[in-house]
Amino acid sequence: MAGVGAGRVAVAPAVGQHGTVTVTRDLGLDQRYQGSVEVASGEVDVDLEHYLNASEQLPSVLACEVILDREGKVLRAAGLLCQTFPDGDTAELEQLRGVLAAGNLADLLRHDRSCREIIGFSLGGEAFDDMGASPLYFRCGCGPERARQIVSTLGAADIEALADEQPQTEVRCEYCGAVYALDSAALRALAAEIRRGRS
């Protein structure tokens, strides 16, 4: 397992070096996929790489680096994830792991680089096909309809009891923290909808 690269700002003292890494994936199915492994180092990328290799058994190399300016603000940041296909040759991954452990990604980021240059670095300068770029953003799949679906799992009788107990019920998304409120009228309408669906 790769350690912290040379000159890297360690986050393990703040994050902790003992515990469990749990990854939850919402694949749009009825149930979410969840896997857990023991913390390997306390460095986020090292522990996620450990999770991919141990829990999902997908040969992976993951490195993330952040370059700070003199005021401690983020100047540049990049992450590099390389994986093989199932049963693929892992020799190149092991070679890349050694390069990244030496802190070369941080060295690369000390100057302004394009994504293509970083990918080229990860592949040791070999030619590659650019499959395109997409913007990076946080998006949560929650919303009012999702909140109704979650409440509907309680069943009509329990939903009606909620409507009688309090003027509104809140559903909080465990991912982004957004809160969705259903008032008593909405709860009673949901309960009636469930009963109609069963008749």
Side-chain angles (χ1 to χ4, degrees):
M1 184 63 55
V4 178
R8 178 175 181 174
V9 177
V11 298
V15 172
Q17 296 174 284
H18 305 284
T20 304
V21 175
T22 301
V23 175
T24 304
R25 292 190 181 190
D26 188 345
L27 303 175
L29 305 173
D30 289 339
Q31 293 183 338
R32 297 183 183 122
Y33 171 82
Q34 191 171 72
S36 298
V37 294
E38 292 296 314
V39 167
S41 73
E43 296 300 317
V44 177
D45 55 352
V46 174
D47 287 335
L48 284 176
E49 178 188 300
H50 174 57
Y51 166 81
L52 290 169
N53 284 296
S55 180
E56 297 195 1
Q57 298 183 354
L58 183 59
S60 306
V61 172
L62 174 63
C64 298
E65 292 291 352
V66 177
I67 303 298
L68 305 176
D69 64 15
R70 293 179 181 178
E71 297 175 356
K73 296 180 179 178
V74 175
L75 183 62
R76 293 183 192 89
L80 184 62
L81 172 63
C82 293
Q83 298 175 312
T84 66
F85 289 109
D87 300 321
D89 184 4
T90 61
E92 290 184 6
L93 286 181
E94 293 305 320
Q95 181 180 352
L96 176 60
R97 182 175 284 114
V99 170
L100 293 173
N104 289 336
L105 180 58
D107 291 341
L108 191 71
L109 290 178
R110 296 194 195 285
H111 303 283
D112 196 15
R113 308 284 183 179
S114 69
C115 288
R116 284 190 61 85
E117 288 174 313
I118 294 173
I119 294 170
F121 157 77
S122 70
L123 298 175
E126 293 187 19
F128 64 93
D129 293 326
D130 189 338
M131 304 297 287
S134 59
L136 180 64
Y137 58 90
F138 175 80
R139 180 180 64 188
C140 187
C142 70
E145 184 55 35
R146 179 75 174 144
R148 287 181 82 250
Q149 291 173 356
I150 290 169
V151 173
S152 70
T153 62
L154 297 174
D158 287 339
I159 293 172
E160 288 168 341
L162 271 178
D164 293 337
E165 289 172 8
Q166 51 198 25
Q168 96 177 7
T169 297
E170 292 184 347
V171 178
R172 181 180 300 274
C173 177
E174 63 185 30
Y175 291 110
C176 70
V179 177
Y180 301 93
L182 288 86
D183 61 20
S184 296
L187 290 174
R188 289 191 178 94
L190 179 58
E193 186 180 314
I194 292 170
R195 291 188 189 282
R196 283 194 304 272
R198 290 178 180 171
S199 60

